[in-house]
Amino acid sequence: MRLNAFGKTALLLWFSAAVLAGAAAEAATVFTLGRSVSPAGAYVPGGTLDVTVRLELQTDGTPTALGLEETIPEGWTYQGRVSGPALIVEPGAGSGGLLEFAWFPLPAFPVEFTYRLAVPASSTATRVLWGEGLLRILNGGEVRTPAALTIVPGPAGGGVHSADTNMNSRVDLGELLRIIQFYNSGGYGCAPPESPTEDGYLPGLSALTVCAPHAGDYNPPDWRFSLSEMLRLIQFYNSGAYHECPGQGTEDGYCAGLP
């Protein structure tokens, strides 16, 4: 069958309307995942860590199913749900790696719940908690929302800088060379859970920017190290030590030298 000019125009208009309608339907759903930990932004080696997850939804459709996947660091284990709506799918105590959660019946949004992790005493470096919310909409496909949360060792952050992966209150030569690597690579991104690194990051321009930026990337945090930011870490190296000094007006919240 061949279409005349009128038929071709009508078909084009129908196709354009269908594309626009599909885009509008997709844009009508905003699904977000937020997370926080207690102590704030930190973990205690050998202790426990409470992770609070918040799933928010704005949609013109009807949500019909909700789940969550969390990938925790190697050696860490799930201890149980602390608070929030009851789950129909929940990891068993002592589970590690990929944790899967699902709710039934569907709770009201926003959905907020807290679960507890046990942290091994051998964990002494920056770690990343990876997560992805899973949502099903009536007569629609699956919607996913990824997020990552970077945490450092020590109570309430312990003043540990992201560059200080061995937690000795110094920027050692190997740690400084890591920053120079980021600078020379033109950018950096989040290391995926299947390929963890000593600081939770990978050199090079990366699409993975869902974790917190490196503490050395602060002016502004833009997933690359400027010359000024690299020189700040060289200053810490040459000073032999650094310490956290909130409230003293430094550009990054740290001071060179011993406190």
Coordinates of all heavy atoms in Angstrom, one line a residue, residues 34-136:
G34 N 16.9 8.7 48.4 CA 17.9 9.4 49.3 C 18.2 8.5 50.5 O 17.5 7.7 50.9
R35 N 19.5 8.7 50.9 CA 19.9 7.9 52.1 C 20.8 8.7 53.0 O 21.5 9.6 52.6 CB 20.7 6.6 51.6 CG 19.8 5.6 50.9 CD 20.6 4.4 50.4 NE 21.5 4.8 49.4 CZ 22.6 4.0 49.1 NH1 22.7 2.8 49.7 NH2 23.4 4.3 48.2
S36 N 20.8 8.3 54.2 CA 21.7 8.9 55.2 C 22.1 7.8 56.2 O 21.5 6.7 56.3 CB 21.0 10.0 56.0 OG 19.9 9.6 56.7
V37 N 23.2 8.0 57.0 CA 23.6 7.1 57.9 C 23.8 7.7 59.3 O 24.0 8.9 59.4 CB 25.0 6.4 57.5 CG1 24.8 5.6 56.2 CG2 26.1 7.4 57.3
S38 N 23.8 6.9 60.3 CA 24.0 7.3 61.7 C 25.1 6.4 62.3 O 24.9 5.2 62.3 CB 22.7 7.3 62.5 OG 23.0 7.7 63.8
P39 N 26.2 7.0 62.8 CA 26.6 8.4 62.8 C 26.7 9.0 61.4 O 26.9 8.3 60.5 CB 28.0 8.4 63.5 CG 28.1 7.0 64.1 CD 27.3 6.1 63.3
A40 N 26.5 10.4 61.4 CA 26.4 11.1 60.2 C 27.6 11.0 59.3 O 28.7 11.3 59.7 CB 26.1 12.6 60.4
G41 N 27.4 10.4 58.1 CA 28.5 10.3 57.1 C 29.7 9.5 57.5 O 30.8 9.6 56.9
A42 N 29.5 8.6 58.5 CA 30.7 7.9 59.0 C 30.3 6.5 59.4 O 29.1 6.1 59.5 CB 31.2 8.6 60.2
Y43 N 31.3 5.6 59.6 CA 31.1 4.3 60.2 C 32.2 4.1 61.2 O 33.3 4.7 61.2 CB 31.0 3.2 59.2 CG 32.4 2.9 58.5 CD1 33.3 2.0 59.1 CD2 32.7 3.5 57.3 CE1 34.5 1.7 58.5 CE2 33.9 3.2 56.7 CZ 34.8 2.3 57.3 OH 36.0 2.0 56.7
V44 N 31.9 3.2 62.2 CA 32.9 2.9 63.2 C 33.4 1.4 63.0 O 32.6 0.5 63.0 CB 32.3 3.0 64.6 CG1 33.3 2.6 65.7 CG2 31.8 4.4 64.9
P45 N 34.7 1.2 62.6 CA 35.2 -0.1 62.4 C 34.9 -1.0 63.6 O 35.2 -0.6 64.8 CB 36.7 0.1 62.2 CG 36.8 1.5 61.7 CD 35.7 2.3 62.4
G46 N 34.3 -2.2 63.4 CA 34.0 -3.1 64.5 C 32.6 -2.8 65.1 O 32.2 -3.5 66.0
G47 N 31.9 -1.7 64.7 CA 30.6 -1.3 65.2 C 29.5 -1.6 64.3 O 29.6 -2.5 63.4
T48 N 28.4 -0.9 64.5 CA 27.2 -1.0 63.6 C 26.9 0.3 63.0 O 27.3 1.4 63.5 CB 26.0 -1.5 64.4 OG1 25.7 -0.6 65.4 CG2 26.2 -2.9 65.0
L49 N 26.2 0.3 61.9 CA 25.9 1.5 61.1 C 24.4 1.4 60.7 O 24.0 0.4 60.2 CB 26.7 1.6 59.9 CG 26.5 2.9 59.0 CD1 27.1 4.1 59.7 CD2 27.1 2.7 57.6
D50 N 23.6 2.4 61.1 CA 22.2 2.5 60.7 C 22.1 3.3 59.4 O 22.5 4.4 59.4 CB 21.4 3.1 61.8 CG 21.2 2.2 63.0 OD1 21.6 1.0 62.9 OD2 20.7 2.6 64.0
V51 N 21.4 2.7 58.4 CA 21.2 3.3 57.1 C 19.7 3.6 57.0 O 18.9 2.7 57.1 CB 21.7 2.4 56.0 CG1 21.5 3.1 54.6 CG2 23.1 2.0 56.2
T52 N 19.4 4.9 56.8 CA 18.0 5.3 56.6 C 17.8 5.6 55.1 O 18.5 6.4 54.5 CB 17.7 6.6 57.4 OG1 17.9 6.3 58.8 CG2 16.3 7.1 57.1
V53 N 16.8 5.0 54.5 CA 16.5 5.1 53.1 C 15.2 5.8 53.0 O 14.2 5.5 53.7 CB 16.4 3.7 52.5 CG1 15.9 3.8 51.0 CG2 17.7 2.9 52.6
R54 N 15.1 6.7 52.0 CA 13.9 7.5 51.8 C 13.6 7.5 50.3 O 14.4 7.9 49.5 CB 14.0 8.9 52.3 CG 12.7 9.8 52.1 CD 12.9 11.2 52.7 NE 11.7 12.0 52.4 CZ 10.7 12.2 53.3 NH1 10.7 11.4 54.4 NH2 9.7 13.0 53.0
L55 N 12.4 6.9 49.9 CA 12.0 6.8 48.6 C 10.8 7.8 48.4 O 9.8 7.7 49.1 CB 11.6 5.4 48.2 CG 12.7 4.4 48.2 CD1 12.2 3.0 48.5 CD2 13.4 4.4 46.9
E56 N 10.9 8.7 47.4 CA 9.9 9.7 47.2 C 9.4 9.5 45.7 O 10.1 9.1 44.8 CB 10.4 11.1 47.4 CG 10.9 11.3 48.8 CD 11.2 12.8 49.1 OE1 10.3 13.6 49.0 OE2 12.4 13.1 49.4
L57 N 8.1 9.8 45.6 CA 7.4 9.6 44.3 C 6.4 10.7 43.9 O 5.6 11.0 44.8 CB 6.7 8.2 44.2 CG 5.9 7.9 43.0 CD1 6.8 7.7 41.8 CD2 5.1 6.6 43.2
Q58 N 6.5 11.2 42.7 CA 5.5 12.1 42.2 C 5.1 11.5 40.8 O 6.0 11.3 39.9 CB 6.1 13.5 42.0 CG 6.4 14.2 43.3 CD 7.0 15.6 43.0 OE1 7.0 16.1 41.9 NE2 7.5 16.2 44.1
T59 N 3.9 11.1 40.6 CA 3.5 10.5 39.4 C 2.0 10.7 39.1 O 1.2 10.9 40.0 CB 3.7 8.9 39.5 OG1 3.4 8.4 38.2 CG2 3.0 8.3 40.6
D60 N 1.7 10.7 37.8 CA 0.3 10.8 37.4 C -0.3 9.4 37.3 O -1.5 9.2 37.1 CB 0.2 11.5 36.1 CG 0.6 13.0 36.1 OD1 0.4 13.5 37.2 OD2 1.0 13.5 35.1
G61 N 0.6 8.4 37.4 CA 0.1 7.0 37.2 C -0.2 6.4 38.6 O -0.2 7.1 39.6
T62 N -0.4 5.1 38.6 CA -0.7 4.3 39.8 C 0.4 3.4 40.2 O 0.7 2.4 39.4 CB -2.0 3.5 39.7 OG1 -3.1 4.4 39.3 CG2 -2.4 2.8 40.9
P63 N 1.2 3.6 41.2 CA 2.2 2.7 41.6 C 1.7 1.4 42.0 O 0.7 1.3 42.8 CB 3.0 3.4 42.7 CG 1.9 4.3 43.3 CD 1.0 4.7 42.2
T64 N 2.3 0.3 41.6 CA 1.8 -1.1 41.9 C 2.8 -2.0 42.6 O 2.4 -3.0 43.1 CB 1.3 -1.7 40.6 OG1 2.3 -1.8 39.7 CG2 0.1 -1.0 40.0
A65 N 4.0 -1.6 42.6 CA 5.0 -2.5 43.2 C 6.3 -1.7 43.5 O 6.6 -0.7 42.8 CB 5.4 -3.7 42.4
L66 N 6.9 -2.0 44.6 CA 8.1 -1.2 45.1 C 9.1 -2.1 45.7 O 8.8 -3.0 46.5 CB 7.7 -0.1 46.1 CG 8.8 0.7 46.7 CD1 9.4 1.6 45.7 CD2 8.2 1.5 47.9
G67 N 10.4 -1.9 45.3 CA 11.5 -2.7 45.8 C 12.7 -1.9 45.9 O 12.8 -0.7 45.5
L68 N 13.8 -2.4 46.5 CA 15.0 -1.8 46.7 C 16.2 -2.8 46.6 O 16.1 -3.9 47.2 CB 15.0 -1.0 48.0 CG 16.4 -0.3 48.5 CD1 16.6 0.9 47.6 CD2 16.3 0.0 49.9
E69 N 17.3 -2.4 46.0 CA 18.5 -3.2 46.0 C 19.6 -2.4 46.6 O 19.8 -1.2 46.2 CB 18.9 -3.6 44.5 CG 17.9 -4.6 43.9 CD 18.3 -4.9 42.4 OE1 19.2 -4.2 41.9 OE2 17.7 -5.9 41.9
E70 N 20.3 -2.9 47.6 CA 21.4 -2.3 48.2 C 22.6 -3.2 48.1 O 22.6 -4.4 48.4 CB 21.1 -2.0 49.7 CG 19.9 -1.1 49.9 CD 20.4 0.4 50.0 OE1 20.5 1.0 48.9 OE2 20.7 0.9 51.1
T71 N 23.7 -2.6 47.7 CA 25.0 -3.3 47.7 C 25.9 -2.8 48.7 O 26.3 -1.6 48.7 CB 25.7 -3.2 46.3 OG1 24.8 -3.7 45.3 CG2 27.0 -4.0 46.2
I72 N 26.3 -3.6 49.7 CA 27.1 -3.1 50.8 C 28.5 -3.6 50.6 O 28.8 -4.5 49.9 CB 26.5 -3.6 52.2 CG1 26.5 -5.2 52.2 CG2 25.1 -3.1 52.3 CD1 26.0 -5.7 53.6
P73 N 29.5 -2.9 51.3 CA 30.9 -3.3 51.1 C 31.2 -4.8 51.5 O 30.5 -5.4 52.4 CB 31.6 -2.3 52.1 CG 30.7 -1.2 52.2 CD 29.3 -1.8 52.2
E74 N 32.2 -5.3 50.9 CA 32.6 -6.7 51.2 C 33.0 -6.8 52.7 O 33.7 -6.0 53.3 CB 33.8 -7.0 50.4 CG 34.3 -8.5 50.5 CD 35.5 -8.8 49.6 OE1 35.9 -7.9 48.9 OE2 36.0 -10.0 49.7
G75 N 32.4 -7.9 53.3 CA 32.7 -8.2 54.7 C 31.7 -7.6 55.6 O 31.6 -8.0 56.8
W76 N 30.9 -6.6 55.2 CA 29.8 -6.0 56.0 C 28.6 -7.0 55.9 O 28.4 -7.7 54.9 CB 29.4 -4.6 55.5 CG 30.5 -3.6 55.6 CD1 31.8 -3.8 55.4 CD2 30.3 -2.2 55.8 NE1 32.5 -2.6 55.5 CE2 31.6 -1.6 55.8 CE3 29.2 -1.4 56.1 CZ2 31.8 -0.3 56.0 CZ3 29.4 -0.1 56.3 CH2 30.7 0.5 56.3
T77 N 27.8 -7.0 57.0 CA 26.6 -7.9 57.0 C 25.4 -7.1 57.5 O 25.4 -6.2 58.3 CB 26.9 -9.1 57.9 OG1 27.3 -8.6 59.2 CG2 28.0 -10.0 57.3
Y78 N 24.2 -7.6 57.0 CA 22.9 -7.1 57.4 C 22.5 -7.6 58.7 O 22.6 -8.8 59.0 CB 21.9 -7.5 56.3 CG 20.5 -7.0 56.5 CD1 20.2 -5.7 56.3 CD2 19.5 -7.9 57.0 CE1 18.9 -5.2 56.5 CE2 18.2 -7.4 57.1 CZ 17.9 -6.1 56.9 OH 16.6 -5.6 57.1
Q79 N 22.0 -6.7 59.6 CA 21.6 -7.2 60.9 C 20.1 -7.1 61.1 O 19.5 -7.9 62.0 CB 22.2 -6.2 62.0 CG 23.7 -6.3 62.0 CD 24.2 -7.7 62.3 OE1 24.1 -8.2 63.4 NE2 24.8 -8.4 61.3
G80 N 19.3 -6.3 60.3 CA 17.9 -6.3 60.5 C 17.3 -4.9 60.3 O 18.0 -3.9 60.2
R81 N 16.0 -4.9 60.2 CA 15.3 -3.6 60.0 C 15.1 -3.0 61.4 O 14.7 -3.6 62.4 CB 13.9 -3.9 59.4 CG 13.0 -2.6 59.2 CD 11.7 -3.0 58.4 NE 10.9 -4.0 59.2 CZ 9.9 -3.7 60.0 NH1 9.6 -2.4 60.2 NH2 9.3 -4.6 60.6
V82 N 15.4 -1.7 61.4 CA 15.3 -0.9 62.7 C 13.9 -0.3 62.8 O 13.3 -0.3 63.9 CB 16.4 0.1 62.8 CG1 16.2 1.0 64.1 CG2 17.8 -0.5 62.8
S83 N 13.4 0.3 61.7 CA 12.1 1.0 61.7 C 11.6 1.1 60.3 O 12.4 0.9 59.3 CB 12.3 2.4 62.3 OG 13.1 3.2 61.6
G84 N 10.3 1.5 60.2 CA 9.7 1.6 58.9 C 8.7 0.6 58.6 O 8.5 -0.4 59.4
P85 N 8.0 0.7 57.4 CA 6.9 -0.3 57.1 C 7.5 -1.7 56.9 O 8.6 -1.9 56.5 CB 6.4 0.3 55.8 CG 7.5 1.2 55.2 CD 8.2 1.7 56.4
A86 N 6.6 -2.6 57.2 CA 7.0 -4.1 57.1 C 7.3 -4.5 55.7 O 6.8 -3.9 54.7 CB 5.8 -4.9 57.7
L87 N 8.2 -5.4 55.6 CA 8.7 -5.9 54.3 C 8.2 -7.3 54.0 O 8.0 -8.1 54.9 CB 10.2 -5.9 54.3 CG 11.0 -4.6 54.4 CD1 12.3 -4.7 55.1 CD2 11.1 -3.9 53.1
I88 N 7.9 -7.5 52.7 CA 7.6 -8.9 52.3 C 8.8 -9.7 51.9 O 8.9 -10.9 51.9 CB 6.5 -8.9 51.2 CG1 6.0 -10.3 51.0 CG2 7.0 -8.3 49.9 CD1 4.8 -10.4 50.0
V89 N 9.8 -8.9 51.4 CA 11.1 -9.5 51.0 C 12.2 -8.7 51.8 O 12.3 -7.5 51.8 CB 11.4 -9.3 49.5 CG1 12.8 -9.8 49.2 CG2 10.4 -10.1 48.7
E90 N 13.0 -9.5 52.6 CA 14.0 -8.9 53.5 C 15.2 -9.9 53.6 O 15.0 -11.1 53.7 CB 13.5 -8.6 54.8 CG 14.5 -8.0 55.8 CD 13.9 -7.7 57.2 OE1 12.7 -8.1 57.4 OE2 14.6 -7.1 58.0
P91 N 16.4 -9.4 53.5 CA 17.6 -10.2 53.7 C 17.6 -10.9 55.1 O 17.1 -10.3 56.1 CB 18.8 -9.3 53.5 CG 18.2 -8.1 52.9 CD 16.8 -8.0 53.4
G92 N 18.2 -12.1 55.2 CA 18.4 -12.7 56.4 C 19.5 -12.1 57.2 O 20.4 -11.5 56.6
A93 N 19.5 -12.1 58.5 CA 20.6 -11.6 59.3 C 21.9 -12.3 58.9 O 21.9 -13.5 58.8 CB 20.3 -11.8 60.8
G94 N 22.9 -11.5 58.8 CA 24.2 -12.0 58.4 C 24.4 -12.0 56.9 O 25.5 -12.4 56.4
S95 N 23.4 -11.6 56.1 CA 23.6 -11.5 54.6 C 24.6 -10.4 54.3 O 24.7 -9.4 55.0 CB 22.2 -11.2 54.0 OG 21.3 -12.3 54.2
G96 N 25.2 -10.6 53.1 CA 26.2 -9.5 52.6 C 26.0 -9.4 51.1 O 25.2 -10.0 50.5
G97 N 26.8 -8.5 50.6 CA 26.8 -8.2 49.1 C 25.5 -7.5 48.7 O 25.2 -6.4 49.2
L98 N 24.7 -8.1 47.9 CA 23.5 -7.5 47.4 C 22.3 -7.8 48.3 O 22.0 -9.0 48.6 CB 23.2 -8.0 46.0 CG 21.9 -7.6 45.4 CD1 21.9 -6.1 45.1 CD2 21.6 -8.3 44.1
L99 N 21.7 -6.8 48.9 CA 20.5 -6.9 49.7 C 19.3 -6.5 48.9 O 19.3 -5.5 48.3 CB 20.7 -6.0 51.0 CG 22.0 -6.2 51.8 CD1 22.0 -5.2 53.0 CD2 22.2 -7.6 52.3
E100 N 18.3 -7.3 49.0 CA 17.0 -7.1 48.3 C 15.8 -6.9 49.3 O 15.7 -7.7 50.2 CB 16.7 -8.2 47.3 CG 17.8 -8.4 46.2 CD 17.5 -9.5 45.3 OE1 17.0 -10.5 45.7 OE2 17.8 -9.3 44.1
F101 N 15.1 -5.8 49.0 CA 13.9 -5.5 49.8 C 12.7 -5.3 48.9 O 12.8 -4.9 47.8 CB 14.1 -4.2 50.6 CG 15.4 -4.2 51.5 CD1 16.6 -3.8 50.9 CD2 15.3 -4.6 52.8 CE1 17.7 -3.8 51.7 CE2 16.5 -4.5 53.6 CZ 17.7 -4.1 53.1
A102 N 11.5 -5.6 49.5 CA 10.2 -5.3 48.7 C 9.1 -5.2 49.8 O 9.2 -5.8 50.9 CB 9.9 -6.4 47.7
W103 N 8.1 -4.3 49.4 CA 7.0 -4.1 50.3 C 5.7 -4.6 49.7 O 5.5 -4.5 48.5 CB 6.9 -2.6 50.5 CG 8.0 -2.0 51.4 CD1 8.0 -1.8 52.7 CD2 9.2 -1.5 50.9 NE1 9.1 -1.2 53.1 CE2 10.0 -1.0 52.1 CE3 9.9 -1.4 49.7 CZ2 11.2 -0.5 52.0 CZ3 11.1 -0.9 49.6 CH2 11.8 -0.4 50.7
F104 N 4.9 -5.1 50.6 CA 3.5 -5.5 50.3 C 2.7 -5.6 51.6 O 3.1 -6.3 52.5 CB 3.5 -6.9 49.5 CG 2.1 -7.2 49.1 CD1 1.6 -6.7 47.9 CD2 1.3 -8.1 49.9 CE1 0.3 -7.0 47.5 CE2 0.0 -8.4 49.5 CZ -0.5 -7.9 48.3
P105 N 1.6 -4.9 51.6 CA 1.0 -4.1 50.6 C 1.9 -2.8 50.4 O 2.7 -2.5 51.2 CB -0.4 -3.7 51.2 CG -0.2 -3.9 52.6 CD 0.7 -5.0 52.8
L106 N 1.6 -2.1 49.3 CA 2.4 -0.9 49.0 C 2.2 0.1 50.0 O 1.1 0.6 50.3 CB 2.0 -0.4 47.6 CG 2.9 0.5 46.9 CD1 4.2 -0.2 46.6 CD2 2.3 1.1 45.7
P107 N 3.3 0.6 50.7 CA 3.1 1.7 51.7 C 2.9 3.0 51.0 O 3.2 3.2 49.8 CB 4.5 1.6 52.4 CG 5.4 1.1 51.4 CD 4.7 0.2 50.5
A108 N 2.5 4.0 51.8 CA 2.3 5.4 51.3 C 3.6 6.0 51.2 O 4.6 5.8 51.9 CB 1.4 6.1 52.3
F109 N 3.7 6.8 50.1 CA 4.9 7.6 49.9 C 4.9 9.0 50.6 O 3.8 9.5 50.8 CB 5.1 7.9 48.4 CG 5.6 6.7 47.6 CD1 4.6 5.8 47.0 CD2 6.9 6.4 47.5 CE1 5.1 4.7 46.3 CE2 7.4 5.3 46.7 CZ 6.4 4.5 46.1
P110 N 6.0 9.5 51.1 CA 7.4 8.9 50.9 C 7.5 7.7 51.9 O 7.0 7.7 53.0 CB 8.3 10.1 51.3 CG 7.4 10.9 52.3 CD 6.0 10.8 51.7
V111 N 8.3 6.8 51.4 CA 8.6 5.6 52.2 C 10.0 5.8 52.8 O 11.0 6.0 52.2 CB 8.6 4.3 51.3 CG1 9.0 3.1 52.1 CG2 7.3 4.1 50.6
E112 N 10.0 5.6 54.1 CA 11.3 5.8 54.9 C 11.5 4.6 55.8 O 10.5 4.3 56.6 CB 11.3 7.1 55.6 CG 12.6 7.4 56.3 CD 12.7 8.8 56.8 OE1 12.7 9.8 56.0 OE2 12.8 9.0 58.0
F113 N 12.6 4.0 55.8 CA 12.9 2.9 56.7 C 14.4 2.9 57.0 O 15.2 3.4 56.2 CB 12.4 1.6 56.2 CG 13.3 0.8 55.3 CD1 14.0 -0.3 55.7 CD2 13.5 1.2 54.0 CE1 14.9 -1.0 54.9 CE2 14.4 0.6 53.1 CZ 15.1 -0.6 53.6
T114 N 14.7 2.3 58.1 CA 16.1 2.2 58.6 C 16.5 0.8 58.8 O 15.7 0.0 59.4 CB 16.3 3.0 59.9 OG1 15.9 4.4 59.6 CG2 17.7 2.9 60.3
Y115 N 17.7 0.4 58.3 CA 18.2 -1.0 58.6 C 19.6 -0.8 59.2 O 20.3 0.2 59.0 CB 18.2 -1.8 57.3 CG 19.1 -1.4 56.2 CD1 20.4 -1.8 56.2 CD2 18.7 -0.6 55.2 CE1 21.3 -1.5 55.1 CE2 19.5 -0.2 54.1 CZ 20.8 -0.7 54.1 OH 21.6 -0.3 53.1
R116 N 20.1 -1.9 59.8 CA 21.3 -1.9 60.5 C 22.3 -2.8 59.9 O 22.0 -3.9 59.5 CB 21.1 -2.2 62.0 CG 22.4 -2.2 62.8 CD 22.0 -2.2 64.3 NE 21.3 -1.0 64.6 CZ 20.6 -0.8 65.7 NH1 20.3 -1.8 66.5 NH2 20.0 0.4 65.9
L117 N 23.6 -2.3 59.8 CA 24.7 -3.1 59.2 C 25.7 -3.4 60.3 O 26.0 -2.5 61.2 CB 25.4 -2.4 58.1 CG 24.5 -2.2 56.8 CD1 25.3 -1.4 55.8 CD2 24.1 -3.5 56.2
A118 N 26.4 -4.5 60.3 CA 27.6 -4.8 61.1 C 28.8 -4.5 60.3 O 28.9 -5.0 59.2 CB 27.5 -6.2 61.6
V119 N 29.7 -3.7 60.9 CA 31.0 -3.3 60.2 C 32.1 -4.1 60.7 O 32.3 -4.1 61.9 CB 31.2 -1.8 60.4 CG1 32.5 -1.4 59.6 CG2 30.0 -1.0 59.9
P120 N 32.9 -4.8 59.9 CA 34.1 -5.5 60.4 C 35.1 -4.6 60.9 O 35.3 -3.5 60.4 CB 34.5 -6.3 59.2 CG 34.0 -5.6 58.0 CD 32.7 -4.9 58.4
A121 N 35.9 -5.1 61.9 CA 37.0 -4.2 62.5 C 38.1 -4.0 61.5 O 38.8 -3.0 61.6 CB 37.5 -4.9 63.7
S122 N 38.2 -4.8 60.4 CA 39.2 -4.6 59.4 C 38.9 -3.6 58.4 O 39.7 -3.2 57.6 CB 39.4 -6.0 58.7 OG 38.2 -6.4 58.1
S123 N 37.7 -3.0 58.4 CA 37.3 -2.0 57.5 C 37.8 -0.6 58.0 O 37.3 -0.1 59.0 CB 35.8 -2.0 57.3 OG 35.4 -1.1 56.3
T124 N 38.8 -0.1 57.2 CA 39.4 1.2 57.7 C 39.5 2.2 56.6 O 40.3 3.1 56.7 CB 40.8 0.9 58.3 OG1 41.6 0.2 57.3 CG2 40.6 0.0 59.5
A125 N 38.8 2.1 55.5 CA 39.0 3.0 54.4 C 37.6 3.6 54.0 O 36.6 3.1 54.5 CB 39.6 2.3 53.2
T126 N 37.6 4.6 53.1 CA 36.4 5.1 52.6 C 35.6 4.0 51.9 O 36.1 3.2 51.1 CB 36.7 6.2 51.6 OG1 37.4 7.3 52.3 CG2 35.4 6.8 51.0
R127 N 34.3 4.0 52.2 CA 33.4 3.0 51.6 C 32.3 3.6 50.9 O 31.9 4.8 51.2 CB 32.9 2.0 52.6 CG 34.0 1.1 53.2 CD 34.5 0.1 52.2 NE 35.5 -0.8 52.8 CZ 36.8 -0.7 52.6 NH1 37.3 0.3 51.9 NH2 37.6 -1.6 53.1
V128 N 31.6 2.9 49.9 CA 30.5 3.4 49.2 C 29.3 2.4 49.4 O 29.5 1.2 49.1 CB 30.8 3.7 47.7 CG1 29.5 4.2 47.0 CG2 31.9 4.7 47.6
L129 N 28.2 2.9 49.8 CA 26.9 2.1 49.8 C 26.2 2.5 48.5 O 25.8 3.6 48.3 CB 26.1 2.5 51.0 CG 26.7 2.3 52.4 CD1 25.8 2.7 53.5 CD2 27.1 0.8 52.6
W130 N 25.9 1.4 47.7 CA 25.2 1.6 46.5 C 23.7 1.2 46.6 O 23.5 0.2 47.3 CB 25.8 0.7 45.4 CG 27.1 1.3 44.9 CD1 28.4 1.1 45.5 CD2 27.4 2.1 43.8 NE1 29.3 1.7 44.8 CE2 28.8 2.4 43.7 CE3 26.5 2.7 42.8 CZ2 29.3 3.2 42.7 CZ3 27.1 3.5 41.8 CH2 28.5 3.7 41.8
G131 N 22.8 1.9 46.0 CA 21.4 1.5 46.1 C 20.7 1.8 44.8 O 21.1 2.7 44.0
E132 N 19.6 1.1 44.6 CA 18.7 1.4 43.4 C 17.3 1.1 43.8 O 17.0 -0.1 44.1 CB 19.2 0.6 42.2 CG 18.5 1.1 40.9 CD 19.3 0.5 39.7 OE1 19.9 -0.5 39.8 OE2 19.3 1.2 38.7
G133 N 16.4 2.1 43.7 CA 15.0 1.8 43.9 C 14.3 1.3 42.7 O 14.7 1.6 41.6
L134 N 13.4 0.4 42.9 CA 12.7 -0.3 41.7 C 11.2 0.0 41.9 O 10.6 -0.3 43.0 CB 12.9 -1.8 41.7 CG 14.3 -2.3 41.3 CD1 15.4 -2.0 42.3 CD2 14.2 -3.8 41.0
L135 N 10.6 0.5 40.9 CA 9.1 0.9 40.9 C 8.4 0.4 39.7 O 8.9 0.4 38.6 CB 9.0 2.4 41.0 CG 7.6 3.0 41.0 CD1 6.9 2.7 42.3 CD2 7.6 4.5 40.7
R136 N 7.2 -0.1 39.9 CA 6.3 -0.5 38.8 C 5.1 0.4 38.8 O 4.5 0.6 39.9 CB 5.9 -2.0 39.0 CG 7.0 -3.0 38.7 CD 7.3 -3.2 37.3 NE 8.3 -4.2 37.0 CZ 8.7 -4.6 35.9 NH1 8.0 -4.2 34.8 NH2 9.7 -5.5 35.7

